[in-house]
Amino acid sequence: AAAVYLRHEVKLSYRDVEKVFSGLFGMPFVPASAMAFSHRAADRGATLYDDLRDKIRASDIVHGDETHWRIGGKSAFLWYAGNERAAFFHADRSRGSDVAASIFGSAFAGNLVADGYAGYNAVNPKRRQACLAHLKRKAKETAERIALMPERRRDAPSLRFCTALEKFFAFCCRVGRRRGEGALSFSAAKAYIPRLGSTLGEICLLPLADADAENLRCRVTDPKRDGDNLFTFLEVAGMPPTNNHAEQSLRLPVIFRKITFGSQSLLGAQALATNLSLVATAKRHGRDPLELIKTVLL
């Protein structure tokens, strides 16, 4: 259990786990044994892992995201679905919509917070909230790129659009924060929607010469992209305007990827996903993850 904890919570490589046991406790074993411990914990925790997937599918609000992973030196993905009560990770070679459907189901009855990736369309959630932080960041990056261009090539309307859009989404996030803190009632927050829609329409009124700025304009106005998913957070109680929860949940696995360079096999990657799910969920319930691992193994 301690070896599994060091691997999935402290984020040590199998060789470093072996060094800790050999150097501190006088318990030498080969790194492959540390890997076997992790696989055993994942096998014993498979029922809990499947139960977490069921709880995600039954949740009212869920965040979804994915990040790059490596399996046998080849590109793969580590998916995340969760909220304040549960964390579910899934390793897969694919980033296709079929993977999203395998996690959430093809008719997700809850509300989904995710970026604009089209793969989540297969989930068919009840409602969906686009990540306004992503859009705000994209507008800022595009504005900075245009501002660095020579003046004769710089498209002033595109620069004004990106600057205005960044400020607009920053304001939306402040409204969401105030409602989350209880400083704004649900009805008062919902009353913002017509005004926000009108302001966005004015910002996005004219086509733009810069390709990135025009793509962003189309993205936030097209109902088939993010156009209908910008203000859901003002209509669904408890839904945030950003997907920061998922990004923070994937932060440690991203650091882990840089330390270990991924997994050698799909089986190993999925064992990692299972153990990460159990450890993260235990912490969200205020439980000691080491004690959970002991319970699972015994």
Side-chain angles (χ1 to χ4, degrees):
V4 176
Y5 179 86
L6 289 172
R7 171 69 174 176
H8 297 93
E9 175 63 9
V10 186
K11 304 295 184 287
L12 298 184
S13 67
Y14 289 129
R15 292 188 182 278
D16 286 340
V17 171
E18 179 270 330
K19 290 177 184 177
V20 169
F21 274 82
S22 179
L24 293 182
F25 309 127
M27 298 172 62
F29 51 76
V30 296
S33 294
M35 180 179 69
F37 298 156
S38 292
H39 283 230
R40 184 182 303 172
D43 288 342
R44 298 283 178 87
T47 302
L48 282 175
Y49 179 75
D50 290 338
D51 186 56
L52 278 176
R53 189 199 309 263
D54 292 339
K55 282 181 168 56
I56 290 297
R57 292 184 176 185
S59 296
D60 182 46
I61 297 175
V62 177
H63 296 254
D65 205 355
E66 68 288 328
T67 188
H68 287 284
W69 195 253
R70 304 286 290 178
I71 297 178
K74 296 182 179 180
S75 180
F77 297 90
L78 186 66
W79 293 70
Y80 170 79
N83 48 38
E84 298 302 324
R85 298 286 293 170
F88 183 87
F89 293 90
H90 172 75
D92 207 289
R93 298 186 187 277
S94 171
R95 198 191 176 203
S97 58
D98 57 323
V99 182
S102 73
I103 296 172
F104 294 93
S106 58
F108 179 51
N111 302 284
L112 177 65
V113 187
D115 57 24
Y117 176 47
Y120 290 106
N121 293 342
V123 172
N124 297 305
K126 180 180 179 181
R127 296 294 305 272
R128 182 168 170 178
Q129 171 63 47
C131 179
L132 301 191
H134 275 82
L135 296 172
K136 175 177 174 290
R137 186 160 55 243
K138 181 64 176 178
K140 180 180 180 181
E141 291 171 352
T142 305
E144 290 174 345
R145 179 186 58 77
I146 295 174
L148 291 173
M149 296 174 67
E151 189 171 353
R152 59 185 177 82
R153 294 177 52 200
R154 188 185 306 155
D155 183 58
S158 296
L159 180 58
R160 287 195 297 270
F161 163 78
C162 291
T163 303
L165 196 65
E166 179 191 355
K167 292 180 180 178
F168 173 76
F169 284 131
F171 175 77
C172 291
C173 290
R174 287 197 297 272
V175 172
R177 193 178 308 115
R178 288 179 59 203
R179 199 198 63 178
E181 293 171 350
L184 194 67
S185 68
F186 180 76
S187 58
K190 194 172 181 178
Y192 269 94
I193 295 177
R195 180 156 63 101
L196 292 175
S198 177
T199 302
L200 182 63
E202 293 175 3
I203 294 173
C204 300
L205 186 61
L206 299 175
L208 302 165
D210 184 86
D212 289 340
E214 175 61 13
N215 180 60
L216 185 57
R217 187 186 76 88
C218 294
R219 179 176 173 178
V220 299
T221 56
D222 187 350
K224 295 182 179 179
R225 300 176 72 183
D226 288 334
D228 283 349
N229 304 321
L230 298 175
F231 310 126
T232 309
F233 73 99
L234 296 174
E235 300 180 279
V236 178
M239 176 171 273
T242 72
N243 203 21
N244 289 342
H245 168 89
E247 291 189 350
Q248 292 171 0
S249 297
L250 285 170
R251 186 170 297 163
L252 284 179
V254 168
I255 296 173
F256 199 22
R257 180 189 67 211
K258 295 177 179 179
I259 295 172
T260 64
F261 303 103
S263 307
Q264 293 302 310
S265 67
L266 181 59
L267 179 64
Q270 191 50 41
L272 171 109
T274 300
N275 289 325
L276 282 178
S277 301
L278 299 183
V279 167
T281 301
K283 291 165 64 179
R284 290 177 189 183
H285 285 263
R287 303 290 296 275
D288 183 352
L290 181 58
E291 290 300 319
L292 171 67
I293 297 168
K294 288 181 184 178
T295 302
V296 167
L297 287 169
L298 296 176

